[in-house]
Amino acid sequence: MLLVLAAPRIASHYSVAPQADFILDYFFALAALMVALWLVERETWLLIAPTVLLAAAMLTKREGYLLGACVFVSALAVSYCDRRFAWPRLALAATVAAASTIPWRFWMNANNVGGEGPAGGLRGPLQHANRAWPSLRLALSTLIDYHLWLLVVPLVIAAAVLAFLAG
């Protein structure tokens, strides 16, 4: 509810537009929340459900792989003290989520669907190095744009500071 009130874009008509970004965000947020709850409560379903959600995020957009990795690496870091119990289960969940995308990749290759990567391959960004600074400046200005995010960024910063102070 806080996001609907604080981020006008989510509450606007864009949230019903056919864009994969929003559904990717929902899959990621729910999965991250459920993994965090699993770390506390150790209920099996709280690890199975985010595995399915992260697989869906990976199938939605290629950024889903990065977001899934962030969730699992964060969970590994948080569960370091209980690694004998948590790490094998987290590794299995990450493997299942990533492996579930393999049939889709085979289908894309079999049907000559274009790749999602840059046209120049891995060397593409090096060929356009002059775009790095303007891209970074655009990303940072968008991150702190008051009209786009209203209170979300200050709330995240405040939450991080309070979590750090709480230990």
Side-chain angles (χ1 to χ4, degrees):
M1 188 63 164
L2 178 62
L3 286 177
V4 172
L5 295 173
R9 183 175 175 138
I10 292 176
S12 70
H13 68 280
Y14 294 113
S15 62
V16 294
Q19 297 176 0
D21 295 332
F22 292 108
I23 193 71
L24 176 71
D25 296 343
Y26 300 146
F27 287 151
F28 168 70
L30 285 172
L33 176 65
M34 292 177 123
V35 169
L37 289 172
W38 177 79
L39 288 168
V40 173
E41 297 183 12
R42 305 290 188 200
E43 294 286 332
T44 304
W45 74 271
L46 284 171
L47 190 58
I48 294 172
T51 302
V52 172
L53 289 169
L54 288 172
M58 292 174 193
L59 289 166
T60 301
K61 288 184 81 171
R62 70 174 181 248
E63 291 85 354
Y65 290 100
L66 177 62
L67 295 174
C70 289
V71 168
F72 287 118
V73 168
S74 299
L76 290 172
V78 168
S79 64
Y80 179 77
C81 293
D82 197 20
R83 62 186 173 271
R84 287 190 154 189
F85 172 80
W87 285 13
R89 288 162 177 79
L90 289 168
L92 178 63
T95 303
V96 168
S100 67
T101 66
I102 292 172
W104 175 245
R105 297 295 166 192
F106 279 131
W107 183 89
M108 286 179 62
N109 287 336
N111 290 295
N112 295 322
V113 176
E116 299 171 334
L122 294 176
R123 290 178 291 182
L126 298 176
Q127 295 171 348
H128 303 286
N130 60 335
R131 295 182 183 177
W133 178 247
S135 297
L136 179 62
R137 195 174 73 232
L138 176 63
L140 292 176
S141 66
T142 301
L143 181 65
I144 59 174
D145 187 356
Y146 178 76
H147 298 293
L148 288 176
W149 298 104
L150 199 59
L151 294 175
V152 173
V153 173
L155 285 174
V156 168
I157 292 170
V161 168
L162 289 173
F164 178 75
L165 293 175

